[in-house]
């Protein structure tokens, strides 16, 4: 049987110090619309867990799903635009 205790020091030798980097914070900020839309969808789904959804509940869930899709689309387009060089005229 192999002893892995010696390898553990390599994994935990240098824990991150100082929190997230500026790039990580920018990535989180870019994803906030998606996160907010997903939270809104989750809230709408939680509200109907213990009851039969009414027409208003169904509209709320559809609207929340559309917001999630739109936020994901916008994030994907933003990410894609970052990799496409602009063409000079």
């Amino acid at each position: 049987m192999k002893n892995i205790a010696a390898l553990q020091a390599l994994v935990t030798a240098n824990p991150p110090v100082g929190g997230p980097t500026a790039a990580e914070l920018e990535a989180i900020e870019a994803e906030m619309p998606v996160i907010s839309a997903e939270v809104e969808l989750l809230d709408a789904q939680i509200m109907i867990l213990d009851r039969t959804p009414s027409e208003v509940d169904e509209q709320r869930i559809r609207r929340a799903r559309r917001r999630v899709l739109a936020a994901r689309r916008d994030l994907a387009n933003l990410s894609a635009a970052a990799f496409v060089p602009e063409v000079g005229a």
Side-chain angles (χ1 to χ4, degrees):
M1 189 166 161
K2 292 171 109 179
N3 187 357
I4 63 168
L7 298 177
Q8 187 175 9
L10 295 175
V11 174
T12 60
N14 296 320
V17 178
T21 64
E24 292 170 335
L25 289 174
E26 286 180 21
I28 293 169
E29 186 67 30
E31 292 176 9
M32 279 309 293
V34 175
I35 295 168
S36 298
E38 288 176 342
V39 167
E40 184 179 335
L41 175 59
L42 186 59
D43 286 343
Q45 292 171 335
I46 288 171
M47 285 177 22
I48 63 164
L49 282 177
D50 60 347
R51 64 180 173 160
T52 304
S54 68
E55 184 63 32
V56 173
D57 293 330
E58 290 174 1
Q59 287 176 351
R60 184 178 293 123
I61 290 173
R62 282 194 305 268
R63 193 175 305 122
R65 284 184 180 143
R66 284 194 303 266
R67 286 186 185 133
V68 168
L69 291 174
R72 287 180 182 170
R73 179 199 61 217
D74 293 343
L75 180 62
N77 288 340
L78 181 65
S79 298
F83 294 110
V84 176
E86 292 192 27
V87 177

